[in-house]
Amino acid sequence: MKFVPNVKTFHIQTFRGLLSVVFSYWSCKTYKIPHYGQSRKENTKLIWRGILGIGSTSLWLYGISNVPLSDSTTLFQTNTLWTCILAPIFLGEPTSKMTFVAVASSLFGVVLVMRPYSIFQHFPSLLNPKDLERGISETTGIQHYLDLGSNVAGAFVFSVVQLAIRGLRETTPPVRINLFATFISAVVGPIGMMYQGPINFLALSLKENLIFWTLCLSAYIGNLAMTRSFQLGQARTISIINYFTVVLAFGMDIIIPVSYTHLRAHETPEHLVCRLLLEKK
């Protein structure tokens, strides 16, 4: 998403859904797996899993588009904490107190490093001047909180998706789960594109097109692997392992170009002179 800023959330949802439907249908046909569930209850669960899946992915992609990658991924990985809370309630999976302590401590550590202002805002003397300036600029508008909230909401919905997949482990092959989920994505995606506008592949560079189609194709493999992992292992365990994607996101944030919108001029009563303009003259 960061490398293709002209591509919107529902553009990816639509085309990754269409490609995944083709591959999932082919896989079902090749391995002689029925396309539909064996009961109405199973089909209902599959439909709900698909609806929740596109909701979670849409919120996550929106968050990635509007929040720095490391921050977005960190917030989305709070699904680990939600899963640890919900798994014992709905699946009866045992969760030790130390698991909660470990997950909560790791989240606090990330916030402490990435957003020290949110913790020490009442003690400005403890903050680095750059952190103080960044914190003040980022907390002046409801849009900032909506962008962050979309990641947290996506994380919660994703944890529910994890529980739904785990609940289907005894009756449903992962390919069938993917088929339902991606079909719903392919249907809902074009509706979202009516709001966000169509995608013009000719306006994208060759690099952007390659990234876009690679993202869509890799989504099929990633979803299949994720679905199977949640079927085989405990939801909380797989969710904790998935938390290591935060580390990758921090690394990617270093190499991805960032916006310099925050460097635009702002009104100030001080008599300041732009050094760059003087050097030009």
Side-chain angles (χ1 to χ4, degrees), residues 4 9 24 35 48 63 84 87 95 100 117 130 134 174 177 179 184-185 196 202 248 257:
V4 281
T9 301
S24 297
H35 300 98
W48 274 111
C84 289
T95 302
F100 285 107
Y117 178 81
K130 290 184 178 180
R134 180 188 182 192
I177 296 177
L179 179 61
I184 292 174
S185 179
Q196 292 186 332
L202 296 178
L248 178 60

Side-chain angles (χ1 to χ4, degrees), residues 104-163:
S105 299
S106 63
L107 290 174
F108 177 79
V110 170
V111 174
L112 180 62
V113 173
M114 296 299 301
R115 288 292 182 271
Y117 178 81
S118 61
I119 299 176
F120 298 111
Q121 57 182 312
H122 300 298
F123 307 96
S125 60
L126 299 176
L127 289 170
N128 181 296
K130 290 184 178 180
D131 291 331
L132 180 62
E133 182 182 353
R134 180 188 182 192
I136 293 174
S137 65
E138 288 184 344
T139 54
T140 54
I142 192 172
Q143 187 61 45
H144 173 68
Y145 293 103
L146 290 176
D147 293 341
L148 296 179
S150 68
N151 289 278
V152 178
F156 178 79
V157 177
F158 183 67
S159 69
V160 178
V161 171
Q162 295 173 5
L163 300 183

Side-chain angles (χ1 to χ4, degrees), residues 240-252:
I240 290 173
I241 294 173
N242 194 36
Y243 190 71
F244 286 102
T245 56
V246 175
V247 178
L248 178 60
F250 285 148
M252 292 297 292

Side-chain angles (χ1 to χ4, degrees), residues 69-269:
L69 183 60
S70 57
D71 298 352
S72 175
T73 305
T74 301
L75 290 172
F76 187 77
Q77 291 306 325
T78 56
N79 69 77
T80 303
L81 187 59
W82 293 117
T83 303
C84 289
I85 295 172
L86 298 176
I89 299 173
F90 295 100
L91 299 179
E93 293 184 357
T95 302
S96 65
K97 293 180 180 179
M98 286 305 299
T99 300
F100 285 107
V101 172
V103 174
S105 299
S106 63
L107 290 174
F108 177 79
V110 170
V111 174
L112 180 62
V113 173
M114 296 299 301
R115 288 292 182 271
Y117 178 81
S118 61
I119 299 176
F120 298 111
Q121 57 182 312
H122 300 298
F123 307 96
S125 60
L126 299 176
L127 289 170
N128 181 296
K130 290 184 178 180
D131 291 331
L132 180 62
E133 182 182 353
R134 180 188 182 192
I136 293 174
S137 65
E138 288 184 344
T139 54
T140 54
I142 192 172
Q143 187 61 45
H144 173 68
Y145 293 103
L146 290 176
D147 293 341
L148 296 179
S150 68
N151 289 278
V152 178
F156 178 79
V157 177
F158 183 67
S159 69
V160 178
V161 171
Q162 295 173 5
L163 300 183
I165 293 173
R166 184 71 177 150
L168 290 165
R169 66 186 181 277
E170 296 179 356
T171 59
T172 311
V175 174
R176 187 190 299 157
I177 296 177
N178 261 18
L179 179 61
F180 268 75
T182 53
F183 176 77
I184 292 174
S185 179
V187 171
V188 176
I191 298 176
M193 285 178 62
M194 294 173 63
Y195 167 73
Q196 292 186 332
I199 182 172
N200 184 2
F201 291 107
L202 296 178
L204 300 178
S205 66
L206 177 60
K207 178 182 176 181
E208 289 175 328
N209 271 291
L210 287 173
I211 293 173
F212 175 79
W213 289 109
T214 301
L215 179 62
C216 292
L217 287 170
S218 61
Y220 169 73
I221 300 173
N223 283 337
L224 195 62
M226 180 200 72
T227 300
R228 189 55 179 163
S229 66
F230 278 111
Q231 286 187 319
L232 293 175
Q234 288 188 330
R236 63 178 180 84
T237 304
I238 304 300
S239 186
I240 290 173
I241 294 173
N242 194 36
Y243 190 71
F244 286 102
T245 56
V246 175
V247 178
L248 178 60
F250 285 148
M252 292 297 292
D253 233 11
I254 296 174
I255 63 174
I256 293 176
V258 297
S259 170
Y260 286 91
T261 305
H262 62 284
L263 295 180
R264 291 174 183 170
H266 298 280
E267 185 178 359
T268 173

